[in-house]
């Protein structure tokens, strides 16, 4: 009845919702801290909330399927043309478009061993073979070695796409722009390079060498698509809006697999307004940077290993702790974090929250470590 490919697909494990913790542990909503899904802890811009209240009466209308206003605003922001942009219900929908649009016969895709889980899900659903690097993070030498190995196979299977997550979720490391460009130059022009910049706003603030300019990328490389999202720093995870920026030819192909009205009227409105509130976004990014330093200090003080992060989360680990047990212990006390056991790692990924939320995190972790000694 169902496709064989589904047998190899692992269902994506979404972050636990606040309501689940309230139900299962009898904890009041105000006592639950959700730091497991990399959402903006400050929520949406107040201007977005006001705009949605004023526009709620439009909910019965189908959205403008051309997405004219949002595409023009993004074109202005990134100095590209509107026909070089596609809008999706989250950037992961555009990932799905990319996999659907590939030539699948003898196709392979390359990705890091530990990276955003939906790359593998969408590739498997499309019937595309997956190659992963030996290392958890992004090692471009390993990417190139895998790429060249596939080129030389007797039973040739072409590499149709390469996924680069910058910064990488769930680990937080980030490649330098120059290194990525040098890597792309070594690939065939018919290999699609997907650069996922879901957390780029944080990386660009922390280190300019990690800042990817979509206009420069698509001008230099006709086989690159850059993905961005409104789910992270813009605080619109619940509205589901993402975008892809690529050559006109790539965008035209992706439009052939895009369903009509794939982003709602109110979601488009929220994204448009959030782009305009640069002061709010700047404040959120600066808070993330300063609070990240607190996490790093806490990790050092408690002999916890961490990966220097260029995103809005940090990954912590220690041979002294078992991540599944710690995640469950924290959950029972109202703190939602992401256990990375599903990635084969004994580690936790924690979203950087507000100062008061982070203080609570530190208190709980230190209590747990004291109990486990």
């Amino acid at each position: 009845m169902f496709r064989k490919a589904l047998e190899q697909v692992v269902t994506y494990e979404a972050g636990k919702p606040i309501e689940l913790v309230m139900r299962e542990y009898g904890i009041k909503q105000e006592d639950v801290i959700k730091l497991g899904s990399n959402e903006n802890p400050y929520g949406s811009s107040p201007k977005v909330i006001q705009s949605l209240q004023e526009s709620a009466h439009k909910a019965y209308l189908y959205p403008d399927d051309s997405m004219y206003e949002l595409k023009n605003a993004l074109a202005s922001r990134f100095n590209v043309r509107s026909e070089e942009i596609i809008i999706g219900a989250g950037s992961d929908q555009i990932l799905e478009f990319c996999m659907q649009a590939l030539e699948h016969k003898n196709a392979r895709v390359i990705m890091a061993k530990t990276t955003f889980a939906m790359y593998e899900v969408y590739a498997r659903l499309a019937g595309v073979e997956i190659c992963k690097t030996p290392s958890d993070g992004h090692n471009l030498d390993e990417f190139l070695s895998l790429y060249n190995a596939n080129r030389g196979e007797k039973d040739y299977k072409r590499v149709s796409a390469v996924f680069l997550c910058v910064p990488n979720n769930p680990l937080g490391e980030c490649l330098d722009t120059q290194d990525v460009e040098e890597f792309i130059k070594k690939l065939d022009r018919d290999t699609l390079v997907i650069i996922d910049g879901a957390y780029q706003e944080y990386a660009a603030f922390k280190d300019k060498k990690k800042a990817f300019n979509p206009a420069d990328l698509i001008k230099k490389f006709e086989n690159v698509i850059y993905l961005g999202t409104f789910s992270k720093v813009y605080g619109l995870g619940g509205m589901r809006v993402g975008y892809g920026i690529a050559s006109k030819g790539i965008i035209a192909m992706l439009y052939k697999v895009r369903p009509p009205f794939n982003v709602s009227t109110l979601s488009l409105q929220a994204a448009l307004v959030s782009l305009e509130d640069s002061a709010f976004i700047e404040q959120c990014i600066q808070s993330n940077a300063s609070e990240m330093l607190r996490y790093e200090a806490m990790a050092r003080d408690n002999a916890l290993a961490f990966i220097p992060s260029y995103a809005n989360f940090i990954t912590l680990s220690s041979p002294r702790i078992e991540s599944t047990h710690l995640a469950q212990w924290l959950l029972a006390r109202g703190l939602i974090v992401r256990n990375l056991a599903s990635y084969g790692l004994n580690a936790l990924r924690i979203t950087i929250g507000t100062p008061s939320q982070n203080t609570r995190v530190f208190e709980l972790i230190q209590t747990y470590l004291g109990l486990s000694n």
Side-chain angles (χ1 to χ4, degrees):
M1 180 185 296
F2 298 111
R3 294 169 54 202
K4 280 285 186 184
L6 292 177
E7 295 176 2
Q8 295 182 301
V9 175
V10 178
T11 302
Y12 181 75
E13 181 186 337
K16 290 180 172 58
I18 291 173
E19 292 78 8
L20 180 146
V21 180
M22 293 169 59
R23 288 194 306 268
E24 293 193 1
Y25 297 98
I27 300 174
K28 295 178 182 177
Q29 182 171 346
E30 59 268 25
D31 294 329
V32 179
I33 300 175
K34 187 184 180 190
L35 299 177
S37 298
N38 302 338
E39 296 145 329
N40 186 333
Y42 296 99
S44 308
S45 159
K47 293 181 180 179
V48 169
I49 304 302
Q50 181 181 351
S51 176
L52 290 176
Q53 291 171 341
E54 295 172 353
S55 304
H57 67 281
K58 298 179 182 178
Y60 75 100
L61 293 171
Y62 282 110
D64 170 13
D65 198 47
S66 73
M67 306 184 193
Y68 176 86
E69 289 187 281
L70 181 56
K71 287 172 67 175
N72 275 3
L74 287 167
S76 177
R77 170 64 58 88
F78 292 110
N79 194 28
V80 296
R81 296 176 295 174
S82 61
E83 57 264 36
E84 295 170 327
I85 298 172
I86 187 169
I87 309 296
S91 57
D92 50 340
Q93 187 181 43
I94 303 171
L95 291 170
E96 183 179 15
F97 295 164
C98 290
M99 291 299 98
Q100 289 177 350
L102 288 180
E103 172 58 62
H104 294 151
K105 185 178 180 181
N106 293 329
R108 286 177 172 170
V109 295
I110 297 176
M111 64 188 69
K113 178 183 176 183
T114 302
T115 192
F116 184 42
M118 291 308 295
Y119 300 159
E120 181 171 353
V121 171
Y122 288 133
R124 290 199 184 281
L125 288 175
V128 177
E129 190 172 331
I130 296 163
C131 296
K132 295 185 179 182
T133 62
S135 299
D136 285 307
H138 283 62
N139 182 317
L140 289 178
D141 289 337
E142 292 179 359
F143 270 82
L144 189 60
S145 178
L146 272 177
Y147 188 86
N148 289 332
N150 280 288
R151 272 174 165 166
E153 282 192 358
K154 184 177 179 181
D155 180 20
Y156 179 70
K157 291 190 176 183
R158 64 187 297 274
V159 176
S160 297
V162 176
F163 290 98
L164 299 176
C165 194
V166 289
N168 185 25
N169 175 27
L171 300 181
E173 92 283 356
C174 189
L175 295 166
D176 285 358
T177 308
Q178 185 175 349
D179 292 340
V180 169
E181 291 188 1
E182 289 302 313
F183 168 73
I184 297 172
K185 290 176 184 177
K186 299 171 184 175
L187 307 182
D188 297 332
R189 288 298 183 179
D190 61 351
T191 298
L192 180 65
V193 181
I194 302 168
I195 296 180
D196 187 349
Y199 302 91
Q200 255 296 299
E201 291 85 358
Y202 301 104
F205 178 83
K206 185 172 184 176
D207 187 345
K208 298 304 179 187
K209 296 193 299 294
K210 314 290 186 185
F212 286 76
N213 184 318
D216 287 347
L217 283 171
I218 69 171
K219 187 175 182 180
K220 293 175 182 176
F221 308 106
E222 291 187 355
N223 57 325
V224 167
I225 182 167
Y226 173 91
L227 304 184
T229 184
F230 288 91
S231 296
K232 305 307 176 186
V233 73
Y234 289 100
L236 298 180
M239 303 302 288
R240 309 307 299 127
V241 189
Y243 55 90
I245 300 175
S247 66
K248 185 178 178 180
I250 289 177
I251 297 300
M253 290 296 104
L254 298 185
Y255 257 89
K256 294 179 182 293
V257 297
R258 181 192 74 95
F261 310 121
N262 60 313
V263 180
S264 74
T265 299
L266 295 182
S267 293
L268 291 171
Q269 174 73 12
L272 184 63
V273 174
S274 69
L275 273 178
E276 300 168 356
D277 195 352
S278 57
F280 174 78
I281 300 305
E282 180 77 11
Q283 178 184 357
C284 294
I285 293 174
Q286 289 180 350
S287 175
N288 180 80
S290 60
E291 290 299 301
M292 181 73 74
L293 295 176
R294 292 184 65 203
Y295 269 91
E296 293 176 354
M298 183 276 294
R300 293 189 190 97
D301 290 345
N302 291 278
L304 297 175
F306 67 90
I307 299 170
S309 176
Y310 293 86
N312 69 337
F313 57 84
I314 190 167
T315 300
L316 302 175
S317 64
S318 170
R320 292 186 294 153
I321 63 174
E322 200 278 312
S323 65
T324 300
H325 184 271
L326 175 53
Q328 196 63 37
W329 187 88
L330 293 172
L331 194 65
R333 286 152 182 82
L335 175 58
I336 304 171
V337 298
R338 188 61 181 262
N339 178 20
L340 298 186
S342 61
Y343 288 87
L345 300 176
N346 181 37
L348 296 181
R349 189 195 68 191
I350 305 177
T351 307
I352 307 301
T354 64
S356 61
Q357 288 175 334
N358 298 331
T359 297
R360 177 62 175 156
V361 173
F362 302 160
E363 292 171 349
L364 286 170
I365 289 178
Q366 288 163 351
T367 298
Y368 180 88
L369 293 174
L371 293 173
S372 61
N373 285 339

